Amino acid sequence: MGSRTVRTEAVVLRSLRFGEADRILHLFTRDQGRCGAIAKGARKTRSRFGARLEPFCHVELLLHRGRGELGTVSGAELVRSHQGLALDPYRLAVGLIGAEAMLKLFTEQEANERAFTALTRFLDRLDAIPSSAPARPALDPLVLSFQLKLLWLSGYMPQLDGCVECGALEGLAGYRPDAGGAVCRDCGGGAIGLSPGGLRGIRTLVATPLADAHDAGLTDGGAREALALVTASYEHHGGFRLRTLSA
């Protein structure tokens, strides 16, 4: 296959220094899903597009695809910078959780436009949330809602409408990742506990648009239960933990 240049929207999930002046980029693109690219000379003071390729930047890229695994950035136009996130520790921490979730859940070069749209909406909303909050970043309703939606889009979302063992619709009291969803009290051996309010909050976060996540009425206890469900799903289905969730 010959080389070619493609134009695509992308979000920079990670940017790593490479050599004396280059950057290696981990991107999630609208047309190709996850991909890697090198931005030659991006760290030079006079780089044409270096500042547009920082983490969280939403850009329109020209990518030259050769025979190697990495594309080469030959042009970058800014759609939204989201660079204010780097100036606020709380919002930065929330954003890094979202970016790592994307990197871990979507590892293949396969288009997923719904995941790309969810990512851009997450970052747009993150720009607008309060610059400080009493909650631990991992318990923020926005990033919990985003991760639950990513689990659904990647095929790992637990079944929460009834007991996955016996089908009971009432008395749901826990989550068993090995069974793939919620379980009732009678079937709940070894399950992660879920209160009625926590289960209701998780369902609301799944169904609520990201822009409304902070208005979903999630309690502190419900947020902790949602986080426990998310982390258990990662460990069981994907075999990983997010480093950013332990920060």
Side-chain angles (χ1 to χ4, degrees):
M1 180 182 295
S3 62
R4 61 194 178 99
T5 298
V6 297
R7 182 184 294 273
T8 185
E9 278 188 67
V11 172
V12 180
L13 298 175
R14 184 175 293 166
S15 176
L16 306 173
R17 294 187 175 191
F18 182 73
E20 294 185 0
D22 304 338
R23 285 194 177 276
I24 299 292
L25 307 174
H26 294 258
L27 307 168
F28 198 84
T29 69
R30 181 184 294 277
D31 304 316
Q32 304 171 49
R34 170 82 176 272
C35 71
I38 184 168
K40 294 182 178 179
R43 288 163 43 217
K44 292 181 178 178
T45 305
R46 296 184 180 181
S47 170
R48 291 178 295 134
F49 43 68
R52 304 170 194 170
L53 298 176
E54 295 295 327
F56 309 127
C57 283
H58 178 183
V59 290
E60 186 172 287
L61 292 181
L62 283 177
L63 281 178
H64 180 75
R65 308 293 301 187
R67 295 178 180 175
E69 293 184 3
L70 294 177
T72 300
V73 176
S74 56
E77 296 296 330
L78 199 60
V79 179
R80 289 185 177 86
S81 73
H82 301 295
Q83 287 307 288
L85 302 181
L87 303 177
D88 181 81
Y90 180 82
R91 287 188 291 179
L92 175 61
V94 172
L96 290 174
I97 293 170
E100 188 182 5
M102 290 292 300
L103 287 166
K104 292 290 190 180
L105 285 171
F106 299 93
T107 59
E108 303 295 329
Q109 189 170 316
E110 181 178 345
N112 191 324
E113 188 167 353
R114 298 176 83 176
F116 179 81
T117 299
L119 174 60
T120 58
R121 288 178 178 172
F122 166 70
L123 293 172
D124 288 346
R125 182 56 186 162
L126 187 54
D127 278 338
I129 69 171
S131 60
S132 61
R136 175 182 161 203
L139 299 177
D140 189 275
L142 175 62
V143 80
L144 289 171
S145 180
F146 180 56
Q147 290 174 98
L148 289 165
K149 288 172 170 58
L150 293 185
L151 285 173
W152 178 65
L153 289 169
S154 58
Y156 294 143
M157 185 62 203
Q159 169 59 250
L160 300 175
D161 294 330
C163 178
V164 293
E165 295 287 4
C166 70
L169 300 179
E170 302 294 333
L172 301 178
Y175 165 56
R176 280 181 45 196
D178 61 316
V183 289
C184 66
R185 294 183 183 88
D186 293 336
C187 302
I192 297 169
L194 288 178
S195 66
L199 182 59
R200 185 167 54 251
I202 292 167
R203 288 172 174 166
T204 301
L205 288 179
V206 173
T208 298
L210 288 169
D212 300 325
H214 279 94
D215 300 320
L218 192 67
T219 65
D220 289 345
R224 294 182 187 281
E225 291 178 19
L227 178 60
L229 182 147
V230 166
T231 55
S233 296
Y234 289 158
E235 291 178 18
H236 181 78
H237 296 294
F240 62 82
R241 296 183 180 187
L242 295 193
R243 176 184 54 81
T244 49
L245 285 179
S246 61

